[in-house]
Amino acid sequence: MTDALVPILAATLAAGTPLVFAALGELVVEKSGVLNLGVEGMMLCGALAGFAATVASGSAAVGALAGLAAGAAAALVFALLTLTLQANQVAAGLALSIFGVGLSAFAGKPFESVALPAPQPFALPALADLPLVGPVLFAQPPLVYLSWALFGLVSWFLYRTRPGLVLRAVGESPAVAHAIGYPVIGIRYLATLFGGAMAGVGGAYLSVSYTPMWAENMTAGRGWIALALVVFATWRPGRVLAGAYLFGGVTIAQFFAQGAGAAVASQLLSSLPYLATIGVLVLISRNPNVIRLNAPVSLGQSYHPDA
Amino acid sequence: MRYLSPLLAAALTILVGYALFSALGRDPLAALHAFFVRPVSTANGVAELLLKASPLMMIATGLALGFRANVWNIGAEGQLILGAICGGGVALHLEGAASGWGLALMVVAGALGGMAWAAIPAFLRTRFNASEILTSLMLTYVAALLLSYLVHGPWRDPQGFNFPQSRMFDDALLFPLLVEGTRLNASFLLALAVVAAGWVFVHKSFLGYQMRVAGLADAAARYAGFSATRTVWIGMLAGGGAAGLAGLAEVAGPIGQLTPSISPGYGFAAIIVAFVGRLNPVGCALASLLMSLLYLGGEQAQMELRLPAAITGLFQGMLLFFLLGADVLINFRVRALRRAGPAAASAGQAA
């Protein structure tokens, strides 16, 4: 029984990891009151940059850093538009997604026929030998461990540190934070860049580690699922993590169902993650109070300091 | 400034295009000429321009209705696919029995298909408060998978050498050509009709007025008793219906059958068209010409400059970025402050 379970659980973690990165990043962005709908575009930029850098350098670590930088650069464009030029956040986020799809498809053409060697999982000594949990949790690619570290860091930062408190205050009431003397726009810049960097790492994980190749639009909507996850998690890091693995599980279940020869068309199984996203969004949103009490109050609204 | 900013954005896009072509080692002027002028230098090219602009102007007009009221339907691509599936499904069932009614029936089926797909996010938003941005986008992926299932499975042409595509539709079920020798067909007139209907609705009807109020001042609309639920429904159904029509026009026009990929991202490009067209039906029609030119330019760049056709998406995204950036000039006045310091020459507030 455990023998059958191990590959499923390990694959679930691996499939959920890009969502962990992207959704935790977006969580921090939204906590500061900024709604960046460009996650899909930033992930694609990160995926391409990560793949290209890994091909050039031969090192997956360099690839992850390149993905981080590319995601942050894409987020910088968004931040310039919405924070400095006060553009509508929804429109600018859509623009970033469309631009990221176009840019990565254009720049990625030469990489479409390139293949990377499949990375070896990095087994943590001693821990990986534990029964069941060992091979599931501790024989994963390094970025999976980093995603857990990110989870710890984000939870600790948001709820246990003073800067985290300030960031949340900016998201709840930018006018008050400004009146006390905090640089609202600067803080939102930092949060947005962080979110972009994490989306970029999530994308790089996809193209370097999860499926070591580049294909146009390879994120297949994961950026949008990450956005939905943040709502689903009612803006709480722990629930983001759980939600990401839930979606990883849905993705994997579809592969195992196909492998087991389920008598359903593969396309209908492939649509499961998207339908599941709609399902959980409906479940969590149907009570408006849950959203109202948990969403950062200024989410999606521009703030102009001397207004 | 409201109408200058799209022009400014287009100019900036061309400027960056110039820099991009130079950086890629192409002669920038020749490349820009190939991208923006060559495609429309023949009558056939102009026909192609109008052909590609048709779906864009239809969808953008429909989407703009919703965007004005803060209803963010970004799943037009999926609604387009459903329009193609429903309209195409009718065409496949009318095989042989085609009459003058066939095409009309397909048009209705296409519009209803798009509306039905858009009704799902509308229902989830009004009944369950779920964000229509995310649900409509998720349904786009589902729609693409549904189409893939149909053309790989039940609707596959038995004589199609196992290609994933349906039978060709009867000639009588295709839009008649407007200009012999080109691919421009009567769906262009349909697109113009949609734009006209959109203009009348936005500017001349009480419902359109209510939706504009809802977008500009949500609280005022509520106070006046305008139904927010109705606003969402109309906004979503207008976009969905228009996208469904556009999808049907593609399969009953230049494509002539159902294939796994029937749109080069018209549903997403139309979002840009709607913004560049200032959420105004006439503006959308003009902006759709520009966006259509970007598609043609991308194809030309692929043939002539050996650049990936994906360059179209790059230009589209840039255009929207520059537009949103240039819009700052609508709401703010740039002025140099007398006070020295880092704040000098920052955007001062006005209006």
Side-chain angles (χ1 to χ4, degrees), chain A residues 253-266 269:
Chain A
Q254 146 214 331
F255 288 127
F256 276 87
Q258 272 167 37
V264 188
S266 66
L269 287 172

Side-chain angles (χ1 to χ4, degrees), chain B residues 4-48:
Chain B
L4 274 181
S5 116
L7 296 179
L8 185 62
L12 283 171
T13 306
I14 292 176
L15 206 66
V16 173
Y18 183 94
L20 179 73
F21 286 129
S22 318
L24 291 170
R26 307 296 202 282
D27 175 9
L29 280 181
L32 283 177
H33 185 263
F35 202 99
F36 289 106
V37 181
R38 195 88 38 83
V40 286
S41 55
T42 63
N44 194 37
V46 174
E48 285 290 308

Side-chain angles (χ1 to χ4, degrees), chain B residues 7-313:
Chain B
L7 296 179
L8 185 62
L12 283 171
T13 306
I14 292 176
L15 206 66
V16 173
Y18 183 94
L20 179 73
F21 286 129
S22 318
L24 291 170
R26 307 296 202 282
D27 175 9
L29 280 181
L32 283 177
H33 185 263
F35 202 99
F36 289 106
V37 181
R38 195 88 38 83
V40 286
S41 55
T42 63
N44 194 37
V46 174
E48 285 290 308
L49 183 80
L50 297 178
L51 177 72
K52 283 197 161 49
S54 306
L56 291 169
M57 71 174 81
M58 276 194 251
I59 305 173
T61 302
L63 290 182
L65 271 183
F67 289 174
R68 269 176 181 274
N70 278 331
V71 178
W72 298 100
N73 173 12
I74 60 170
E77 185 78 5
Q79 293 143 21
L80 179 153
I81 292 173
L82 254 286
I85 290 177
C86 293
V90 169
L92 291 175
H93 282 95
L94 285 179
E95 184 78 2
S99 67
W101 288 100
L103 185 60
L105 203 59
M106 286 160 65
V107 167
V108 171
L112 287 181
M115 281 183 175
W117 211 238
I120 302 172
F123 174 73
L124 297 180
R125 161 81 188 272
T126 53
R127 176 69 183 78
F128 296 110
N129 195 35
S131 158
E132 78 280 13
I133 299 179
L134 296 170
T135 50
S136 64
L137 191 98
M138 288 297 131
L139 286 172
T140 295
Y141 291 97
V142 178
L145 288 164
L146 179 64
L147 175 63
S148 162
Y149 164 72
L150 288 173
V151 296
H152 278 94
W155 288 1
R156 173 164 28 202
D157 182 2
Q159 272 106 48
F161 303 104
N162 248 2
F163 280 112
Q165 55 195 30
S166 76
R167 283 193 313 261
M168 295 296 291
F169 301 158
D170 276 0
D171 280 348
L173 295 176
L174 301 180
F175 280 103
L177 291 179
L178 281 186
V179 184
E180 233 19 84
T182 69
R183 298 199 301 162
L184 184 63
N185 62 46
S187 70
F188 176 61
L189 303 178
L190 192 63
L192 290 181
V194 168
V195 170
W199 188 85
V200 169
F201 182 80
V202 170
H203 294 282
K204 298 289 168 202
S205 77
F206 184 45
L207 259 180
Y209 171 76
Q210 294 185 9
M211 293 189 57
R212 283 194 321 204
V213 173
L216 290 169
D218 180 33
R222 237 177 307 135
Y223 183 68
F226 302 163
S227 160
T229 304
R230 190 168 58 197
T231 298
V232 173
W233 273 101
I234 295 178
M236 290 300 299
L237 292 184
L245 274 182
L248 179 268
E250 282 301 296
V251 295
I255 303 178
Q257 65 187 147
L258 286 172
T259 63
S261 116
I262 48 175
S263 148
Y266 287 141
F268 296 110
I271 297 174
I272 305 177
V273 172
F275 281 113
V276 175
R278 311 274 65 165
L279 305 184
N280 171 331
V282 178
C284 289
L286 295 175
S288 69
L289 295 175
L290 175 63
M291 193 60 64
S292 166
L293 183 58
L294 289 181
Y295 274 111
L296 295 180
E299 288 169 11
Q300 193 82 20
Q302 187 174 28
M303 286 186 291
E304 223 173 288
L305 309 166
R306 300 189 187 288
L307 291 170
I311 195 169
T312 296

Side-chain angles (χ1 to χ4, degrees), chain A residues 193-275:
Chain A
L193 289 183
F194 175 79
M198 289 309 111
V201 173
Y205 168 83
L206 270 181
S207 65
V208 173
S209 177
Y210 187 61
T211 49
M213 55 156 215
W214 164 257
E216 205 177 306
N217 253 329
M218 70 180 297
T219 49
R222 283 185 180 84
W224 297 100
I225 293 180
L227 277 162
L229 266 181
V230 177
V231 180
F232 166 61
T234 55
W235 292 268
R236 285 175 219 183
R239 295 187 186 174
V240 167
L241 195 68
Y245 292 138
L246 189 70
F247 275 94
V250 174
T251 314
I252 292 305
Q254 146 214 331
F255 288 127
F256 276 87
Q258 272 167 37
V264 188
S266 66
Q267 289 93 347
L268 301 187
L269 287 172
S270 301
S271 64
L272 277 181
Y274 308 114
L275 294 174

